[in-house]
Amino acid sequence: MIAYAEHQFALERREDDGFTYREILQGLIKRCKDPEKRLSLEEELTAIPFPGAASDIWSFFNELHVTRGNTGFGPSAITWSEMRAWSELRQIRLTSWECEVIHALDVAYLTSIATRKGSGGGES
């Protein structure tokens, strides 16, 4: 799940031209005439398959992710109290294991943002 998320966060990285890496790959695939090169680009786009058994956790993370705050220097972490409030509001009882996975996904996202800023890339 974490490897899938890291791959997705990398694909959503905005390049200096304003396009995400995913959009760039999709454009290259669309215009590519060489079948081998096209296959290579498609594999890069879908390198890590979605772990279907974890779709609920991915969905929970994304619901929390879109409501996260911002410190002025970048996105805030999803706090344990926010997870609890979301869980109560949605009437979904998260197990401690699910909370840990959501936290790990959040750390992966925040790390991807920090990496982008460090390499000169913009935030998405």
Side-chain angles (χ1 to χ4, degrees):
M1 169 57 78
I2 303 303
Y4 172 80
E6 289 171 339
H7 183 66
Q8 294 305 305
F9 301 147
L11 290 172
E12 291 305 314
R13 180 185 73 231
R14 290 221 177 263
E15 301 294 331
D16 292 337
D17 60 7
F19 292 99
T20 65
Y21 189 54
R22 180 188 314 275
E23 292 167 334
I24 292 168
L25 284 175
Q26 289 170 334
L28 290 170
I29 290 167
K30 188 175 182 179
R31 293 185 305 276
C32 188
K33 305 276 190 236
D34 179 358
E36 282 186 35
K37 179 66 174 170
R38 175 180 285 206
L39 182 60
S40 173
L41 292 167
E42 288 171 345
E43 286 173 353
E44 187 174 354
L45 190 61
T46 59
I48 300 175
F50 179 73
S55 63
D56 284 347
I57 296 173
W58 182 246
S59 176
F60 299 160
F61 167 74
N62 279 300
E63 284 188 36
L64 286 158
H65 172 68
V66 298
T67 64
R68 77 170 69 240
N70 192 304
T71 65
F73 294 102
S76 299
I78 297 170
T79 66
W80 298 110
S81 58
E82 288 169 335
M83 275 192 246
R84 182 177 183 182
W86 173 88
S87 176
E88 289 174 4
L89 179 69
R90 298 277 282 121
Q91 297 180 346
I92 297 171
R93 182 166 170 78
L94 294 173
T95 66
S96 61
W97 178 83
E98 290 169 322
C99 289
E100 290 172 17
V101 172
I102 290 169
H103 177 70
L105 290 168
D106 191 45
V107 168
Y109 172 74
L110 294 172
T111 301
S112 77
I113 294 296
T115 302
R116 284 183 240 173
K117 287 182 177 183
S119 66
E123 183 182 327
S124 60

